[in-house]
Amino acid sequence: MENIRELNERISQHENREKELEQMETRLRMAIDATQLGTWEYYPLTGKLNWSAECKKIYGLPINAEVTFEAFTEHIYAGDRDFVQKEIQKAMDPKGNNRYDITYRITRFDDGSVRWIRAQGKVYLNIHMQAESFMGTVLDITENKLALEKITRSEKLFKSIALSIPNSLILVIDKNHRYITIEGDLMEKMGYNRKDYEGKHPRDISPERYEATKHLYDRVLAGEKYSVERKSETGEDYMVHFVPLKNDNNEVEAGVIIALDITDFKQAQEKSAKLAAIVESSDDAIISKTFDSIITSWNESAQRTFGYTADEMIGESILKLIPEDRREEEPQIIARLKKGERVEHFETKRVTKDGKLLDVSLTISPVKDTQGNVIGVSKIARDITDKKQEETRKNDFIAIVSHELKTPLTSMKSYIQVMLQKAKQNGDSFSINALTRADIQAKKMTLMIQDFLTMAKLEDGKVPLHKEIFKLHGLADEVVSDAQILTSMHTIELRDCPDVKLNADREKIGQVLTNLVSNAIKYSPKGGHILVGCQLLPGKKAKIYVRDEGVGISAEDQKRLFERFYRVKNEKLKTISGFGIGLYLVSEILSYHNSKIEVESAEGVGSTFYFILDTV
Ligand code: ADP
């Protein structure tokens, strides 16, 4: 009886356990089904291979199909086959851990498509330490793998985009403010290390800095897109953009923080603001315009000078300011500017809004873009009406004084001549000497007065040329003989072209030669040889020159020599008096003859001044 009860109990225990096992198996099956996991068993000793229905599905085999190890091997993707076989051998090695967990590609039986799978398994050894069975699972992970690859690709793309934004630092934070990614070329410059940021919470990096920036993170994660400007401790300026990243449901998932170094931009902005302030506050009218003479900017002083407001002038033609009779100036100026030249202190007249004529001095420069292309013109106009009036008054004064001096000087000169004659007749050597000197000084004065008069006329634009045909020799001879009287320290040689005839203003060309020869004397304080020469050139031209062995002129001074009132500033020349108008007159008179004065000179060696005229 006892035994039967025991037996019954054992049977019911056994039945319970079997039920439990059955339940466990059902649960396992459900789990396997849910995960779409395929299972397989392989018996290396017999070569038998079993695949579960799910496993066959993964491989594209019908459920009732048989499978062999060879067929399995054949459907490993060719490039992965060696690797898989090696891994199988490794797992079956009795000395190893007998585990197997690899990812590889297969080619499906049905359509030959390539899929990624993950296979895991365990090898069981028999008592002879032989691999008896090998069991495991397979899972198709193609979708995961592709998704992962896509993420990796987008990550790479993100990194390369971030890196190719110059002077930038890009941070991505998650909803808890933790740094997901940090990228950008500024990272290195700012001494940031990716390792210190990625995956870290800002609180753990710098609690103080986090306290200061936390509210900014909160704002972006609340969905606000905004930007702030920041200055770093080392003085750089940054523009920081905060951009919320939203998912398909429009929920913020992360925040992107883009910091751009805008130091250069800021500096350029400050610089141009300063420049704009300078332009605005300038006393000169500053105008910019296109090559088509359309005004593009107009400062306050332009308004003061010309009476038009910026609104009235921007977009208008500059011709509005140019008097009718000077309209041809504009194309000439533009032509010079297009060549990249500047026009400096060009004195002309302009007309104001209420029709008043102004004397202006223009300095016009080409405006270039950063590549050096000329894109427009800037014009600085200075109102010199007052200065001009003052100059006119001075000129008038000089003209009147010179004119008034001429008459008494002429009579003085004739008295000296008469007295000199008498003294010569009487053999009064003291008087001869004294009167000769007086004559020389009177001659010098005459020349000076003549120069002043010419200058005054030039300034008024009234230099009438009295052209005539004359022999160069006669004029040059007169100039040389007159000059020789003025000096005993210099020998003046005339080596001219005896038969050359010129068609020019004889008196004015005489003035040119006289000025050049008297300079040659003046600036050769130690005496020496002076050569007045002529050389015939092709095209019926004559080059006329005056050469001395004097102090010479530096290259720097040579450039400015012909400006009005320009005198070389030099200790050695301090005692030599002059007004700096001689060479100015020479240059002006020659320009009236369509010629030009030129100089070749070396300091301490001497100078040669020359000009070229047409012969007849
Ligand atoms: P000024 O002689 O009255 O100073 P110029 O116009 O004739 O004025 O000459 C201008 C300057 O050119 C002079 O101050 C002088 O320094 C320089 N210069 C002119 N001619 C010579 C020369 N032959 N040799 C050296 N320097 C010269």
Side-chain angles (χ1 to χ4, degrees), residues 515-516 519-520 522-523 548 551-553 561 566-568 573 577-584 607 609:
N515 262 301
L516 293 179
N519 273 350
K522 239 162 85 175
Y523 297 105
D548 65 52
V551 292
I553 307 152
L561 228 44
Y566 186 77
R567 303 206 70 218
V568 173
L573 305 179
S577 65
F579 294 100
I581 60 166
L583 287 182
Y584 164 71
S607 313
F609 286 85

Side-chain angles (χ1 to χ4, degrees), residues 205-218:
I205 300 169
S206 160
E208 303 82 52
R209 208 156 65 188
Y210 180 56
E211 255 335 288
T213 44
K214 191 172 167 302
H215 67 286
L216 298 173
Y217 294 174
D218 282 334

Side-chain angles (χ1 to χ4, degrees), residues 564-588:
R564 191 161 55 124
F565 302 130
Y566 186 77
R567 303 206 70 218
V568 173
K569 286 184 189 66
N570 189 329
E571 267 306 297
K572 277 186 267 170
L573 305 179
K574 244 170 68 180
T575 52
I576 305 176
S577 65
F579 294 100
I581 60 166
L583 287 182
Y584 164 71
L585 290 181
V586 165
S587 140
E588 287 293 307

Side-chain angles (χ1 to χ4, degrees), residues 395 398 402 445-459 511-512 515-516 518-519 522-523 560-568 577-589 597:
N395 259 338
I398 292 172
S402 310
M445 259 172 92
T446 314
L447 289 178
M448 241 152 72
I449 288 167
Q450 194 189 11
D451 276 357
F452 278 128
L453 265 176
T454 314
M455 188 186 74
K457 282 184 194 153
L458 267 175
E459 292 302 301
Q511 212 175 341
V512 166
N515 262 301
L516 293 179
S518 50
N519 273 350
K522 239 162 85 175
Y523 297 105
R560 305 197 47 198
L561 228 44
F562 308 107
E563 289 172 19
R564 191 161 55 124
F565 302 130
Y566 186 77
R567 303 206 70 218
V568 173
S577 65
F579 294 100
I581 60 166
L583 287 182
Y584 164 71
L585 290 181
V586 165
S587 140
E588 287 293 307
I589 292 172
I597 182 77

Side-chain angles (χ1 to χ4, degrees), residues 251-263:
E251 296 154 352
V252 180
E253 281 208 332
V256 184
I257 301 156
I258 306 168
L260 300 173
D261 184 344
I262 52 163
T263 316

Side-chain angles (χ1 to χ4, degrees), residues 313-327:
M313 286 312 268
I314 291 176
E316 291 290 318
S317 167
I318 195 89
L319 290 176
K320 236 174 151 172
L321 302 179
I322 307 181
E324 290 285 344
D325 56 340
R326 294 190 185 244
R327 290 273 160 98

Side-chain angles (χ1 to χ4, degrees), residues 419-437:
M419 282 163 75
L420 195 57
Q421 285 297 322
K422 278 228 162 121
K424 278 183 185 162
Q425 279 167 13
N426 298 340
D428 178 352
S429 61
F430 172 78
S431 297
I432 294 174
N433 194 10
L435 288 166
T436 307
R437 279 165 187 272

Side-chain angles (χ1 to χ4, degrees), residues 116-154:
W116 277 98
I117 60 160
R118 179 171 178 193
Q120 286 173 293
K122 184 162 166 48
V123 173
Y124 297 92
L125 304 175
N126 62 15
I127 45 167
H128 307 294
M129 297 299 274
Q130 285 168 316
E132 187 172 47
S133 61
F134 192 175
M135 292 179 206
T137 56
V138 279
L139 185 65
D140 187 330
I141 56 161
T142 313
E143 305 310 326
N144 284 358
K145 188 88 179 169
L146 290 182
L148 201 70
E149 266 172 18
K150 208 164 140 197
I151 290 173
T152 319
R153 259 203 311 276
S154 342

